[in-house]
């Protein structure tokens, strides 16, 4: 079992409200484990901060992501609901800043808390979530 798979198993503690979340090794594994097809829809990249969040949107082929918006962290869920109903997207890729040893530090725990707060929105959609290990990026 890889370190990321071990972390995914332990994340059940931290992401207990979310039905579909993954920490795959790469994007192909994410696509294979979800209902995301190569040309189905956009993906959103979300960088969650303590005060603000950066949001990027991919093209339909998932080759390029472009900056979309910066929103306050407390407005993130409502903005994602708005984007889901207007633009449509099939998945979220959320940066997870693990420590260099692969553990959940305070920043990663904060992000898991924000993602848990979005549980009602996420669980009532067909969205898949990739918590992307940001170490060395």
């Amino acid at each position: 079992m890889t370190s990321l798979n071990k972390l995914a198993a332990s994340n059940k503690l931290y992401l207990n409200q979310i039905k579909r979340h993954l920490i795959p090794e790469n994007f192909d594994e994410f696509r294979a484990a979800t209902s995301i097809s190569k040309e189905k829809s956009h993906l959103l990249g979300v960088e969650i901060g303590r005060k603000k969040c950066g949001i990027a949107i991919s093209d339909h082929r998932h080759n390029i992501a472009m900056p979309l918006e910066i929103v306050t962290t407390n407005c993130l869920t409502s903005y994602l609901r708005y984007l889901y109903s207007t633009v449509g997207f099939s998945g979220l890729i959320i940066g997870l800043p693990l420590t260099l040893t692969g553990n959940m530090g305070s920043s990663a725990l904060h992000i898991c808390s924000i993602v848990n707060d979005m549980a009602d929105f996420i669980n009532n959609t067909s969205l898949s979530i990739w918590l992307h290990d940001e170490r060395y990026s």
Side-chain angles (χ1 to χ4, degrees), residues 3-137:
S3 61
L4 288 177
N5 288 333
K6 287 179 189 172
L7 183 63
S10 70
N11 261 344
K12 291 185 175 140
L13 258 129
Y14 303 113
L15 292 170
N16 53 5
Q17 303 298 315
I18 307 297
K19 294 177 184 172
R20 292 175 305 279
H21 67 279
L22 300 166
I23 302 185
E25 297 288 334
N26 57 54
F27 184 71
D28 290 331
E29 184 180 325
F30 176 62
R31 184 184 295 136
T34 65
S35 61
I36 296 171
S37 67
K38 177 118 178 145
E39 297 184 30
K40 180 180 178 186
S41 181
H42 300 285
L43 295 174
L44 291 186
V46 182
E47 185 68 29
I48 299 173
R50 298 227 180 249
K51 294 183 180 181
K52 295 183 180 180
C53 300
I55 300 173
I57 190 165
S58 75
D59 63 346
H60 286 287
R61 294 181 167 280
H62 310 141
N63 291 328
I64 297 173
M66 296 150 287
L68 182 64
E69 190 70 60
I70 296 173
V71 298
T72 59
T73 301
N74 58 355
C75 294
L76 178 62
T77 303
S78 38
Y79 187 71
L80 292 176
R81 282 181 205 271
Y82 166 75
L83 285 178
Y84 187 77
S85 65
T86 57
V87 176
F89 56 93
S90 57
L92 294 170
I93 300 173
I94 299 173
L96 187 65
L98 302 175
T99 64
L100 291 179
T101 58
N103 295 317
M104 301 279 269
S106 64
S107 294
L109 291 172
H110 169 72
I111 288 169
C112 289
S113 169
I114 299 295
V115 172
N116 270 329
D117 290 345
M118 297 188 302
D120 286 341
F121 163 63
I122 293 167
N123 291 334
N124 290 319
T125 66
S126 59
L127 291 176
S128 295
I129 300 174
W130 176 7
L131 296 172
H132 179 68
D133 178 3
E134 292 184 326
R135 288 179 292 172
Y136 309 111
S137 63

